[in-house]
């Protein structure tokens, strides 16, 4: 925040509102802890707002309006939705251990599993074996097992998603099934949120925005476009869905949120 203020030639005393969108903020106690920290940084006149980072991702596609659903699919995945009267719901986003299988980590982990299964004779042979080993500079599946457990940041494994997509585009059935399963997982997360909040209306045809964010939804836009396939699945159930791919970063969404929240408070006052 200090760097942003410096680059635009401003000072903390000039700020009117701050919106901090943070991963893992899902409870009022989390919000209060961060609000207390922000209050020590900014003057007392500054309005402060703390939200989950998914809210900023949604806002990046709706110009700050907190309504509709956002699907994030990067290293992890989550679907988050809001009604215009303030109700909210989420699906997935519980991390790789608890099954964000439509995420980059989920796709890549299934790819690694397919290689091991093929090696053992428990699964069909797959182009993923040679492609992943070549990408990582490894000589054997045994070496791949060692690579997997040597260091365990989720992003390190998720970085193999393009390999899975490339193999699927080349006609590998195993890789293709992994991507098809991921599409179903991501679509089911959105469907769960939309139905719980009734965003589609009683007839299932009401219009609502679906903001789509994250590298998985943009992976290898050639014959295999994951984002497009997810939209195809969702639109079958909800004809009113309006897909939005933001042209700005979620940080800009947070800025819009701060402005809109401030304007609402001023209108009330």
């Amino acid at each position: 925040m200090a760097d942003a203020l410096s680059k635009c030639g401003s000072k903390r005393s000039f700020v009117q509102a701050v919106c901090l969108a943070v991963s893992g903020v899902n409870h009022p106690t989390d919000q209060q802890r961060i609000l207390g920290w922000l209050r020590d940084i900014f003057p007392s006149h500054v309005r402060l707002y703390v939200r989950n980072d998914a809210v900023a991702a949604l806002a990046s596609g709706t110009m700050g309006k907190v309504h509709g659903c956002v699907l994030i699919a990067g290293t992890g995945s989550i679907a988050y939705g809001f009604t215009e009267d303030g109700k909210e719901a989420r699906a997935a986003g519980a991390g790789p251990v608890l099954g964000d299988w439509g995420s980059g980590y989920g796709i890549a982990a299934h790819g690694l599993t397919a290689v091991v299964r093929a090696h053992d004779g428990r699964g069909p042979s797959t182009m993923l074996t040679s492609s992943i080993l070549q990408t990582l500079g490894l000589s054997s599946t045994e070496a791949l097992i060692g690579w997997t457990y040597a260091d365990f940041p989720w992003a390190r494994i998720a970085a193999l998603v393009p390999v899975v997509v490339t193999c699927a585009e080349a006609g590998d059935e195993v890789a293709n099934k992994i991507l098809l399963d991921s599409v179903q997982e991501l679509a089911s997360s959105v469907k769960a949120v939309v139905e719980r909040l009734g965003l589609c209306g009683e007839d299932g045809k009401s219009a609502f925005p679906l903001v789509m964010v994250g590298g998985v939804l943009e992976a290898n836009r050639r014959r295999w476009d994951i984002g497009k396939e997810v939209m195809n699945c969702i639109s079958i159930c909800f004809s009113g869905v309006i897909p939005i791919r933001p042209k700005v970063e979620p940080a800009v969404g947070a800025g819009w949120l701060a402005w809109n929240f401030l304007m609402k408070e001023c209108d009330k006052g």
Side-chain angles (χ1 to χ4, degrees):
M1 289 185 289
D3 190 40
L5 287 170
S6 175
K7 286 180 178 178
C8 70
S10 189
K11 299 178 181 179
R12 295 179 188 182
S13 58
F14 296 162
V15 174
Q16 296 298 309
V18 174
C19 179
L20 201 59
V22 185
S23 176
V25 173
N26 300 305
H27 193 275
T29 56
D30 300 325
Q31 292 177 323
Q32 289 304 317
R33 186 180 303 114
I34 297 173
L35 283 171
W37 171 66
L38 284 173
R39 181 51 64 206
D40 290 338
I41 296 175
F42 288 94
S44 59
H45 75 273
V46 180
R47 304 295 178 90
L48 304 174
Y49 312 98
V50 177
R51 295 293 186 273
N52 185 279
D53 59 341
V55 187
L58 173 68
S60 70
T62 62
M63 296 187 68
K65 187 176 181 181
V66 185
H67 170 249
C69 185
V70 60
L71 174 65
I72 304 174
T75 299
S77 64
I78 188 172
Y80 218 121
F82 301 85
T83 62
E84 295 197 74
D85 61 357
K87 295 177 183 176
E88 60 185 82
R90 58 178 282 175
V97 175
L98 297 177
D100 287 353
W101 297 124
S103 67
Y105 170 82
I107 292 170
H110 278 115
L112 294 171
T113 301
V115 171
V116 174
R117 288 177 61 83
H119 174 74
D120 293 345
R122 293 180 291 129
S125 60
T126 169
M127 186 189 300
L128 289 167
T129 299
S130 58
S131 296
I132 289 178
L133 291 178
Q134 182 178 357
T135 298
L136 298 178
L138 301 175
S139 59
S140 67
T141 302
E142 286 82 0
L144 178 63
I145 296 171
W147 176 88
T148 301
Y149 292 106
D151 188 11
F152 222 67
W154 311 117
R156 176 172 168 266
I157 291 175
L160 292 171
V161 168
V163 181
V164 179
V165 175
T166 299
C167 288
E169 291 185 333
D172 186 82
E173 291 185 7
V174 174
N176 194 63
K177 186 178 185 306
I178 290 172
L179 295 186
L180 287 172
D181 288 346
S182 75
V183 167
Q184 292 298 321
E185 284 285 341
L186 294 172
S188 68
S189 294
V190 172
K191 290 175 185 176
V193 168
V194 171
E195 289 173 351
R196 281 162 60 191
L197 294 177
L199 294 175
C200 55
E202 292 184 4
D203 60 359
K205 298 179 181 179
S206 295
F208 66 91
L210 173 62
V211 179
M212 303 178 72
V213 178
V216 168
L217 300 174
E218 303 166 357
N220 285 38
R221 293 185 181 179
R222 291 179 287 179
R223 283 180 293 175
W224 235 115
D225 186 330
I226 296 175
K228 180 180 179 180
E229 294 301 324
V230 171
M231 269 308 308
N232 288 342
C233 285
I234 294 169
S235 60
I236 291 172
C237 300
F238 310 121
S239 59
V241 63
I242 303 170
I244 299 173
R245 292 183 183 268
K247 293 180 170 54
V248 297
E249 294 292 321
V252 177
W256 276 330
L257 286 172
W259 174 260
N260 288 349
F261 290 152
L262 179 63
M263 291 299 99
K264 285 182 179 179
E265 289 198 17
C266 289
D267 289 342
K268 291 178 183 178

